[in-house]
Amino acid sequence: MRKTIIANWKMHYGPVKAGAWIRAFRRERLPKNIDIGVAVPFVSLAAARSSLGRAGVPNLGAQDTFWANEGAFTGEIGPAMLKEFALSFCLVGHSERRQYLGETDEMVAKKAIALQKSGIRPVICVGETEAQRKKGETLKVVRAQLAAVIAEGLKIDGPASPIIAYEPVWAIGTGKACSGQEAMVVHEAIHDALVKKFGKEASEIPVIYGGSVDPRNVAEYLSTTHIDGVLIGSASLDPRAFGVLCRAALPA
Ligand code: PEP
């Protein structure tokens, strides 16, 4: 399976800086055998799209969506609106949204399904907190988060087939990266749960890792079985440094 690298700028870069980031990143030499994407704040999608011009890389994505396409939902942005930017993907269920905005598994599941209906690939983030890991509940928590989207009717085929991002909350932005071997156990459990539900085609669903990945440790993840890519927060904010990370991902 081709590897995937997705940048998540989080709440950084309005339209002016987003355009500058994309133009700078377009000058980077990039590996051709990796799918590279960037998840952009809503307000910067138009600038990112126009700065991208005809360049096919990086793929553009959003960081969140609402589950309805229109209606009386003040402040929300739905999949049909996102589709106007020709996005390839959209994150849902990032732990910062679960933690600070009270997003539940059910809300995340509704968002993922709504994206699929609009033809946008959901990148469904799952992961345990430090307290849950200490109690030995990692696999239970991750399986429950996954079960919620499966119960809503997740589809695994077609252009909007999902990506699952395993992001242990304790590893996000902390510098405490989960080792490749620790992550592998969870990735294998996710692959197993998907294959059990959907059959062996589900082994083609990418399961990517996120949490303090940087240019020094990226190759470790991408060379570990069951890890199909990485989601990068802080180490994606500088376009040149992100280019270095992309080149370090699959050493020749
Ligand atoms: C993230 O927020 O998705 C993430 C992986 O952040 P960081 O790389 O900064 O840990």
Side-chain angles (χ1 to χ4, degrees):
M1 180 190 312
R2 269 172 78 85
K3 303 286 183 184
T4 298
I5 299 181
I6 296 178
N8 173 19
W9 292 347
K10 311 193 188 201
M11 199 179 76
H12 292 281
Y13 302 155
V16 173
K17 288 187 176 168
W21 191 103
I22 296 285
R23 287 190 297 279
F25 190 64
R26 283 184 61 181
R27 290 194 286 272
E28 289 298 307
R29 187 174 44 81
L30 296 171
K32 298 229 177 323
N33 52 350
I34 302 181
D35 291 327
I36 299 171
V38 55
V40 172
F42 292 138
V43 294
S44 302
L45 284 169
R49 173 56 68 212
S50 81
S51 298
L52 198 54
R54 287 165 181 265
V57 181
N59 293 314
L60 286 189
Q63 299 176 5
D64 184 39
T65 185
F66 191 62
W67 53 78
N69 279 324
E70 61 179 10
F73 305 107
T74 303
E76 293 298 332
I77 308 284
M81 294 167 163
L82 296 177
K83 210 172 155 53
E84 294 189 26
F85 297 100
L87 300 189
S88 309
F89 69 93
C90 177
L91 308 183
V92 286
H94 191 283
S95 64
E96 286 151 11
R97 298 198 60 82
R98 294 178 188 260
Q99 189 182 348
Y100 302 124
L101 293 147
E103 285 198 4
T104 62
D105 289 345
E106 290 67 31
M107 290 160 76
V108 174
K110 278 161 61 175
K111 292 178 177 200
I113 306 308
L115 285 168
Q116 289 198 314
K117 287 188 180 144
S118 283
I120 300 173
R121 207 167 187 196
V123 178
I124 303 161
C125 304
V126 297
E128 81 288 2
T129 62
E130 187 157 37
Q132 289 164 333
R133 175 163 278 249
K134 282 191 176 142
K135 281 196 261 166
E137 292 176 354
T138 299
L139 296 184
K140 184 177 114 189
V141 169
V142 167
R143 285 189 182 117
Q145 290 170 334
L146 202 56
V149 251
I150 289 171
E152 277 285 325
L154 186 72
K155 298 232 174 335
I156 59 149
D157 50 358
S161 63
I163 294 177
I164 311 296
Y166 169 56
E167 297 209 293
V169 180
W170 50 272
I172 294 184
T174 58
K176 286 198 270 179
C178 182
S179 74
Q181 291 305 303
E182 282 176 299
M184 184 183 74
V185 175
V186 184
H187 283 235
E188 187 171 18
I190 294 172
H191 274 134
D192 286 351
L194 292 168
V195 168
K196 194 164 162 204
K197 168 71 189 172
F198 298 107
K200 71 173 185 325
E201 312 87 271
S203 55
E204 290 304 310
I205 298 174
V207 181
I208 66 177
Y209 168 78
S212 297
V213 178
D214 61 31
R216 282 158 302 163
N217 62 17
V218 64
E220 174 196 342
Y221 294 107
L222 291 192
S223 61
T224 301
T225 321
H226 289 292
I227 301 187
D228 304 314
V230 281
L231 183 49
I232 315 285
S234 342
S236 70
L237 290 179
D238 177 327
R240 278 160 290 272
F242 185 56
V244 171
L245 185 150
C246 293
R247 291 192 291 279
L250 290 180

